[in-house]
Amino acid sequence: MNDLIGFFDSGVGGVSVLHEARRIMPNENYLFYGDNAHAPYGPRPLEEIRALSAAGIGLLLERGVKAVVIACNTATSAYAEIVRAQHPELPIIGMEPALKPAHFARHGGKVIVLATAATLKLEKFERLMARYGDEAIPVVGEGLVELVENGRAQTPEAAARVRALLEPYSDKQIDAVVLGCTHYPYLREHVQAVLPHAQIFDGREGTAMRLKSQLEKYGLRSDDAPGIVEYRSSGGPEAIALMEKLMAWMD
Ligand code: DGL
């Protein structure tokens, strides 16, 4: 049996989720595909995001992966239900902004949900907001994915961009910030610098745990594989080098 777990993202963001999966399950084999040539997905129309996600996830399926992680909130919102209906035989794990735990961690204040324009406007997020969003403030992380994709997450320029987006809320009581895009954990310190008292949430651990339980449920867990990671990208060798660099940076 092919023992690869496929990971998909519009670019390097999903590496932050893969890092967490490897921490929990180091002896699984992973195939990561990033569609860096087309990132960012967030500002694109729904039909385009669906077509790009179908192509990217299609490459993983052609390799016969045993499970798929859509390590992208945007692609999950646009495409997860469709691909799950097409492949009921396969565990397909998606992501959503971690608003639920952030909502319950509040102590009277508000929660900022930082995510892409598409994630914030699609129906999946509307449903999440209806349940846990009474004190939530959605903020589009304009320009952030581009900075990460260009290898500039750890720069003063990225810190300034995060500051410009979040500073307008610094006089409100912000108890939590949800990093609702898998590119944003690389910017976590910049977020914390602007809102030092806010607790920061992201969906990486929840997704990795869900992957583990789904593999167990389907009888697909392997604990004795070599634990390799194979990177693939529509963006060529430079994008793959950035994936490897970010994976090492997360250690
Ligand atoms: N990393 C993705 C997400 O979680 C998509 C970012 C983008 O391409 O706009 O939303």
Side-chain angles (χ1 to χ4, degrees):
M1 182 184 66
N2 184 331
D3 66 355
L4 287 168
I5 299 169
F7 269 67
F8 170 71
D9 182 39
S10 64
V12 297
V15 172
S16 68
V17 187
L18 174 59
H19 185 274
E20 190 60 20
R22 288 199 78 201
R23 194 180 66 75
I24 295 172
M25 295 174 289
N27 297 324
E28 292 282 356
N29 292 336
Y30 299 92
L31 168 62
F32 183 91
Y33 179 74
D35 188 13
N36 304 73
H38 301 107
Y41 279 12
R44 293 176 186 274
L46 176 61
E47 283 313 316
E48 229 172 276
I49 300 171
R50 282 191 173 147
L52 292 169
S53 304
I57 293 170
L59 291 173
L60 298 175
L61 296 174
E62 273 166 32
R63 285 284 299 272
V65 294
K66 66 180 180 181
V68 172
V69 178
I70 309 177
C72 175
N73 293 265
T74 310
T76 299
S77 306
Y79 189 62
E81 280 179 17
I82 297 172
V83 69
R84 278 197 192 110
Q86 289 166 349
H87 294 278
E89 77 289 356
L90 209 65
I92 298 178
I93 292 91
M95 298 193 73
E96 69 179 17
L99 178 56
K100 182 179 172 184
H103 169 79
F104 289 115
R106 282 181 314 117
H107 32 88
K110 298 194 178 297
V111 177
I112 287 181
V113 184
L114 193 60
T116 70
T119 296
L120 296 179
K121 78 174 174 240
L122 291 174
E123 202 190 314
K124 185 172 167 59
F125 186 68
E126 248 174 57
R127 290 198 296 263
L128 194 63
M129 281 293 274
R131 296 185 73 178
Y132 306 110
D134 42 343
E135 293 298 332
I137 307 171
V139 176
V140 176
E142 225 180 306
L144 298 181
V145 170
E146 290 88 332
L147 283 161
V148 174
E149 285 292 313
N150 292 327
R152 302 210 299 272
Q154 306 308 312
T155 61
E157 188 189 356
R161 184 72 206 128
V162 170
R163 183 166 290 281
L165 288 167
L166 297 182
E167 199 146 59
Y169 305 98
S170 59
D171 63 339
K172 314 240 184 311
Q173 190 194 331
I174 304 296
D175 287 342
V177 178
V178 176
L179 305 180
C181 166
T182 56
H183 282 71
Y184 300 168
Y186 309 120
L187 304 166
R188 186 189 175 100
E189 284 141 47
H190 307 322
V191 172
Q192 197 74 82
V194 186
L195 299 166
H197 304 296
Q199 195 177 345
I200 300 180
F201 291 83
D202 66 55
R204 295 180 307 128
E205 190 184 354
T207 304
M209 293 306 289
R210 172 100 184 125
L211 169 63
K212 184 168 180 277
S213 68
Q214 287 290 98
L215 290 173
E216 279 159 2
K217 182 176 150 200
Y218 282 73
L220 293 168
R221 265 291 273 139
S222 46
D223 236 337
D224 51 0
I228 54 134
V229 179
E230 181 184 333
Y231 294 100
R232 290 269 180 260
S233 169
S234 57
E238 260 179 47
I240 291 177
L242 182 59
M243 289 168 184
E244 288 169 343
K245 189 175 152 197
L246 290 170
M247 178 61 100
W249 182 83
M250 300 231 57
D251 282 340

